[in-house]
Amino acid sequence: MDYQNYVQILKAMADPNRLKIIDLLSCGSLCACDILEHFNFSQPTLSHHMKVLQNAGIVSARKDGKWQHYTLNEEFMTSFKKDTDLLLTSDDQCICHSDADCPNCSSGKVAITNEKN
Amino acid sequence: MDYQNYVQILKAMADPNRLKIIDLLSCGSLCACDILEHFNFSQPTLSHHMKVLQNAGIVSARKDGKWQHYTLNEEFMTSFKKDTDLLLTSDDQCICHSDADCPNCSSGKVAITNEKN
DNA sequence: AACTAATATAGATGTTTGTCTATGTATAAG
DNA sequence: CTTATACATAGACAAACATCTATATTAGTT
C-alpha cells in the first residue's frame, strides 16, 4: 500500500479541529464562513486547516462568487476505509513478506491467512 | 462519538514508522528487537514509539523473560473501523445536528440519509 | 558475583505544527 | 470608485514531537 499518501491523510485527520471539520462536511458541503462558526479560532487558522485537508485529498473546494464551498472527497472516504482494512489485515501485502528474516513469516504464523500459497 | 480517543489513535498512527510497526504487527505478535530490525532508528526511539502505540490502545505488551511481546489490540481494530465509518457517514450523530444554525440541517440536505425522522 | 542482552528512562535538540496578527486579493454592492 | 465581505498569504511564536546519547533496570548466563 501507499504509505506516504495514507500517512498524509492520517496526519491531516490527527487534529481535533480538522476532525470536527470532516465530521461537519460528512453532513454535506459547507462554505468556509459556515465552518468557521463552529470554532473559536481565527479565519486564517481555518484557511490553513482547509489547505491541509485539501493537500491530503480529503476535501475539495469549489469557488462560487465570494464563497469557497468545501466538499468531502468521495474517493477519500472509500480509499481510506480500504487502506485501513489493508493495514490491519495480515495478507500478501503485509510488509513482513518482503523480509526473509521475519519471525512471523518463517514460523508460519501467517499461514492461516495465506492459504492460497 | 468519542473524539478524544479517536484523535489520540489517529495521532499515534500518523507517523510513517509507527504505521510500519502496526503493519508488521498485523502479521502477528513481535518482540521489540524483532521490530527494531526493520528500522534505522535507535532502540530508545522504538521504545518511545511503542509507548505511544500502547497509550493509544493500539498495541498491548506482554513481558516474557527479557522480551516484550507486542500485539495489535483486537478491540482497536474493530473500534477504529467503526469510528471511521461513523465519522464519514452523515447520520444522527453528525455534529451539525446539535447546531440549529447549520445550513445543511436547515436546508434539508441531510434528509436523504435521515429518512427515519 | 560479574557479565551480557533486552528494554526503559532522562534529558537535550532540531523540526514540525497550530495558532496568532497583519496584510493582500477577489468579488459584490452602493 | 469606494466600501464591505469572504478568503488567502506571510511571518512570528510557542508547544508538541521524533530523534539522539547516556544511563538505568531487569533478567538470564557463566
Side-chain angles (χ1 to χ4, degrees):
Chain A
M1 64 175 293
D2 182 10
Y3 269 35
Q4 283 201 302
N5 180 49
Y6 190 61
V7 168
Q8 193 184 6
I9 287 175
L10 287 170
K11 276 189 179 170
M13 294 175 74
D15 173 89
N17 289 321
R18 285 197 294 264
L19 199 63
K20 192 172 163 184
I21 293 171
I22 293 174
D23 206 356
L24 285 167
L25 290 177
S26 76
C27 303
S29 298
L30 289 172
C31 73
C33 54
D34 285 332
I35 298 174
L36 190 58
E37 282 180 357
H38 291 83
F39 297 95
N40 290 321
F41 51 63
S42 66
Q43 175 268 320
T45 296
L46 176 67
S47 210
H48 165 254
H49 284 315
M50 296 317 294
K51 179 150 284 182
V52 171
L53 291 172
Q54 286 181 81
N55 288 342
I58 295 175
V59 157
S60 54
R62 172 180 50 85
K63 191 161 190 178
D64 175 28
K66 288 187 295 184
W67 292 276
Q68 277 282 12
H69 289 270
Y70 293 105
T71 312
L72 225 50
N73 277 337
E74 203 68 41
E75 203 274 337
F76 149 71
M77 298 194 254
T78 55
S79 73
F80 181 68
K81 291 176 189 174
K82 203 188 67 183
D83 285 346
T84 301
D85 277 336
L86 211 61
L87 177 79
L88 300 179
T89 306
S90 170
D91 58 13
D92 290 342
Q93 310 209 21
C94 178
I95 192 171
C96 66
H97 284 258
S98 56
D99 180 359
D101 298 329
C102 173
N104 282 327
C105 296
S106 52
S107 66
K109 288 179 198 161
V110 194
I112 308 109
T113 51
N114 248 349
E115 286 169 351
K116 49 193 157 191
N117 299 339
Chain B
M1 65 174 292
D2 182 10
Y3 269 36
Q4 283 202 303
N5 181 47
Y6 190 61
V7 168
Q8 192 184 7
I9 288 176
L10 287 170
K11 276 188 180 172
M13 294 176 74
D15 173 271
N17 290 322
R18 285 197 294 265
L19 198 63
K20 192 172 162 184
I21 293 171
I22 293 174
D23 205 356
L24 284 168
L25 291 175
S26 76
C27 302
S29 298
L30 289 172
C31 72
C33 54
D34 285 332
I35 298 174
L36 190 57
E37 282 180 356
H38 291 83
F39 297 95
N40 289 321
F41 52 61
S42 66
Q43 174 268 320
T45 297
L46 177 66
S47 210
H48 164 253
H49 283 314
M50 297 318 296
K51 179 150 286 181
V52 172
L53 291 172
Q54 286 180 81
N55 289 340
I58 295 175
V59 156
S60 55
R62 172 179 49 85
K63 192 161 193 181
D64 174 28
K66 289 186 295 186
W67 292 275
Q68 278 281 13
H69 289 270
Y70 294 105
T71 311
L72 226 51
N73 279 336
E74 203 68 42
E75 203 273 336
F76 148 70
M77 297 193 257
T78 56
S79 72
F80 180 68
K81 292 177 190 174
K82 203 188 67 185
D83 285 348
T84 301
D85 276 336
L86 210 61
L87 177 79
L88 300 180
T89 306
S90 170
D91 57 12
D92 289 342
Q93 312 210 20
C94 178
I95 192 171
C96 65
H97 284 258
S98 56
D99 181 0
D101 297 329
C102 174
N104 282 326
C105 296
S106 53
S107 66
K109 288 180 199 162
V110 195
I112 308 110
T113 53
N114 246 351
E115 286 170 348
K116 49 193 158 189
N117 297 340

